[in-house]
Amino acid sequence: MFVINCPYCGEREQSEFKAGGEAHIVRPKQPTELSDDQWAEYLFMRKNIKGIQFERWVHTHGCRKWFNVVRDTSNDVITAVYKMGEKPPTK
Amino acid sequence: MKKKYSIFSLIKNSLSYHENWEKAWKDPEPKKEYEIVIIGGGGHGLATAYYLAKKHDLKNIAVVEKGWIGGGNTGRNTTIIRSNYLWDASAGLYDHALKIWEGLSQELNYNVMFSQRGVMNLAHNLQDVRDLKRRTHANRLNGIDAVYLNTEQVKKFCPIINTSPDIRYPVLGGTLQRRAGTARHDAVAWGYARGADEMGVDIIQNCEVKGIKRNGDSIEGIETTKGFIKTNKIGVVAAGHSSVIANMAGLRLPLESKPLQALVSEPVKPIIDTVVMSNAVHAYVSQSDKGELVIGAGTDDYVSYSQKGSHDIVEGTLNAILELYPIFSRMRMLRQWGGIVDICPDASPIISKTSIKGLYFNCGWGTGGFKATPGSGDLFAHTIANDEPHKLNAAFNLNRFVSGDLVDEHGAAAVAH
């Protein structure tokens, strides 16, 4: 249980949001040319990191906008929030 | 040879105030080298080591555990055992486990308190009714006992359920698997540990794996907090931390680790003599032998290793429990906890070889691994010993995420995952 600082609405309880999993997984530019292995990698394989993870969240019960969050999955502490399309923080 | 537990050993030891029981397992320091190292001393890991020694006659085996054995998800689950899964592959896997459960206490000479008190799954809407009836038929075709109950039969089987048509999600029916039930989770870990130890398996506690040493596509050993251990075969049974171990070997898995919560109430006299699960409103309840209500809640939807779940998940489960069982309205909850479960995209486990020779994974059990403990250990041991899967776990390979041949138990397995 934690608080997320929505870049559009401000600080709200986590239960207002929905997690969208690992961020920055780029959709293949040429899907027709992907091998089965590459598809598996894109669709299913995840880093599932214990530690600092870059991830997507959506403010379902608020502005309904998607954005990115940097969170330590070992203790749920959020270190950065940034909008879709913005560069992820380097530290 | 360990002394057999029996009524006579109990009487004999009671005369010396239970101070002279022999140790159930040794607590050795690691040797330099093992033929096989199992990472993870939970029920599945210990069972794997037990069956490797027992059925495959392998002796030089170690189980390394970062904490104490059975201290992870094995010791923090709702202990439900059932095999009423929809798909053939799952039915085969889970019923294999259930058959072993039925003789496990005798086999291990350790009372795992397996109690076939039945598991009932409730239907709350028309689609639930259709799905549950379909699953009942599928179960029977696979030789798994299952009956469909109407509302009156549900009420008769478990009288404290509120079957009024006026509640928010009325009970329209349910399924019952009578061979299903519960077992004592700690005893399962301890029983397998004692059995494995007797056959020469080293159970090494407080030994965290820090790295996996590879030589190209094969394994050379593991770095641990107790030093380097040489081995060519590793079986990883690390539940929520499977991805962490996989990352050490430079491998990615199709897993997400999430907190799954459960809670127990203060102990009361016997009130519910079965296990009742409801998928639609997400409420499971049974009663432990100590008298506590054991309640299972859901997972959070975000990746976390914090072992803390969200309050609203517990609140939602308790709301459902109170509507279904108004008699529990003044029960006080004693404790609540979150375990980290590794969930596969198809909600089915992985018991598989990997692209690295000598590295095997048994993971992805998600929210329902306890029930499979004996079967999982047996099949994983077979897979490691023969470097080939048993026919019962062939479908649960890692390659299914490439081939697309998934075992999609999301929603099909009688509960939400």
Side-chain angles (χ1 to χ4, degrees):
Chain A
M1 198 163 86
F2 46 92
V3 169
I4 298 175
N5 189 6
C6 172
Y8 305 96
C9 311
E11 289 193 343
R12 300 292 171 89
E13 169 62 36
Q14 171 267 320
S15 59
E16 288 191 15
F17 300 82
K18 187 119 180 67
E22 195 179 316
H24 307 298
I25 298 174
V26 182
R27 191 177 163 77
K29 284 211 170 70
Q30 293 289 346
T32 49
E33 283 166 24
L34 250 50
S35 68
D36 288 352
D37 280 312
Q38 287 167 316
W39 268 120
E41 194 67 22
Y42 167 70
L43 284 174
F44 298 124
M45 301 301 165
R46 296 290 177 265
K47 290 181 193 147
N48 196 24
I49 288 168
K50 182 178 187 179
I52 301 293
Q53 167 162 290
F54 293 77
E55 56 191 15
R56 302 176 304 168
W57 284 81
V58 57
H59 195 179
T60 313
H61 301 288
C63 62
R64 298 174 68 187
K65 286 197 175 83
W66 285 89
F67 56 94
N68 293 311
V69 168
V70 184
R71 182 172 58 96
D72 187 339
T73 60
S74 63
N75 56 16
D76 293 337
V77 171
I78 294 174
T79 50
V81 174
Y82 57 102
K83 291 178 184 172
M84 283 293 167
E86 287 178 2
K87 281 226 163 92
T90 44
K91 60 172 180 176
Chain B
M1 194 69 186
K2 284 196 170 33
K3 290 185 185 121
K4 208 168 151 48
Y5 289 150
S6 68
I7 181 76
F8 303 109
S9 70
L10 188 62
I11 294 167
K12 188 175 154 224
N13 279 283
S14 70
L15 296 175
S16 56
Y17 302 98
H18 298 293
E19 285 174 356
N20 295 322
W21 286 101
E22 72 172 334
K23 271 193 170 178
W25 57 85
K26 299 178 288 291
D27 202 12
E29 288 301 306
K31 289 192 277 186
K32 284 204 164 57
E33 183 175 355
Y34 289 96
E35 196 174 337
I36 301 170
V37 174
I38 303 297
I39 301 176
H44 290 238
L46 293 163
T48 306
Y50 174 84
Y51 291 112
L52 276 169
K54 187 178 178 188
K55 294 176 87 170
H56 304 282
D57 209 27
L58 295 159
K59 293 290 173 252
N60 195 17
I61 304 167
V63 177
V64 295
E65 163 58 46
K66 72 173 170 182
W68 60 92
I69 59 166
N73 293 351
T74 300
R76 48 174 76 223
N77 65 78
T78 53
T79 76
I80 297 169
I81 295 163
R82 59 188 181 86
S83 64
N84 55 352
Y85 280 68
L86 178 70
W87 303 114
D88 295 349
S90 313
L93 178 68
Y94 291 102
D95 210 50
H96 177 62
L98 183 49
K99 282 176 189 143
I100 302 177
W101 277 114
E102 288 174 329
L104 192 61
S105 292
Q106 286 74 20
E107 185 188 335
L108 295 176
N109 178 227
Y110 204 102
N111 188 2
V112 298
M113 300 186 187
F114 180 50
S115 159
Q116 291 178 295
R117 58 184 68 182
V119 168
M120 189 159 68
N121 295 96
L122 301 178
H124 298 277
N125 54 52
L126 188 58
Q127 191 58 47
D128 278 358
V129 171
R130 288 173 179 152
D131 288 344
L132 263 53
K133 281 184 175 168
R134 177 192 178 203
R135 183 169 51 72
T136 307
H137 295 313
N139 288 160
R140 284 180 172 175
L141 287 171
N142 276 319
I144 293 168
D145 71 304
V147 283
Y148 186 82
L149 308 177
N150 62 28
T151 308
E152 290 71 43
Q153 289 166 319
V154 167
K155 181 79 178 170
K156 195 164 170 236
F157 188 70
C158 184
I160 59 169
I161 293 183
N162 179 8
T163 51
S164 159
D166 301 331
I167 64 175
R168 177 66 183 84
Y169 296 103
V171 177
L172 301 184
T175 65
L176 175 61
Q177 183 181 20
R178 289 186 190 274
R179 284 166 63 231
T182 59
R184 173 80 193 152
H185 47 12
D186 296 323
V188 177
W190 298 336
Y192 273 121
R194 179 169 172 266
D197 182 87
E198 185 172 3
M199 292 182 287
V201 173
D202 278 357
I203 296 165
I204 303 157
Q205 303 184 83
N206 298 309
C207 180
E208 186 175 352
V209 175
K210 291 292 186 188
I212 291 179
K213 196 172 172 208
R214 276 175 62 178
N215 179 11
D217 276 342
S218 60
I219 295 291
E220 293 206 321
I222 52 170
E223 289 292 348
T224 74
T225 48
K226 292 192 173 185
F228 182 75
I229 301 173
K230 197 166 172 245
T231 184
N232 298 119
K233 279 192 169 186
I234 300 174
V236 184
V237 204
H241 282 69
S242 297
S243 297
V244 176
I245 304 286
N247 289 340
M248 290 177 189
L251 208 66
R252 286 221 288 175
L253 295 172
L255 297 174
E256 286 196 310
S257 296
K258 298 174 176 180
L260 173 69
Q261 293 181 85
L263 53 161
V264 294
S265 73
E266 58 191 333
V268 289
K269 287 184 177 175
I271 181 73
I272 179 164
D273 62 357
T274 184
V275 182
V276 185
M277 310 177 73
S278 170
N279 178 8
V281 298
H282 214 292
Y284 316 159
V285 66
S286 64
Q287 192 171 16
S288 74
D289 292 343
K290 286 184 283 185
E292 303 152 325
L293 296 179
V294 182
I295 295 169
T299 51
D300 284 301
D301 71 343
Y302 51 87
V303 170
S304 179
Y305 290 85
S306 66
Q307 297 200 336
K308 284 183 290 191
S310 305
H311 186 71
D312 53 294
I313 299 276
V314 171
E315 195 178 15
T317 290
L318 290 179
N319 282 342
I321 293 275
L322 289 192
E323 182 146 279
L324 280 174
Y325 313 91
I327 193 173
F328 295 153
S329 66
R330 279 175 289 171
M331 291 287 285
R332 281 169 297 189
M333 292 300 133
L334 207 59
R335 59 187 190 274
Q336 165 274 347
W337 64 93
I340 303 305
V341 297
D342 45 330
I343 300 176
C344 262
D346 61 354
S348 285
I350 296 166
I351 312 170
S352 178
K353 305 202 286 185
T354 64
S355 54
I356 300 164
K357 191 176 167 351
L359 182 64
Y360 305 85
F361 269 88
N362 182 355
C363 58
W365 289 95
T367 61
F370 178 75
K371 66 172 83 66
T373 305
S376 156
D378 183 31
L379 299 172
F380 194 42
H382 181 101
T383 308
I384 295 173
N386 299 304
D387 198 36
E388 278 303 320
H390 187 277
K391 67 178 194 310
L392 286 174
N393 68 308
F396 299 96
N397 61 55
L398 201 45
N399 196 50
R400 72 179 188 266
F401 299 96
V402 177
S403 69
D405 193 9
L406 303 178
V407 188
D408 187 7
E409 286 290 354
H410 269 296
V415 298
H417 287 273

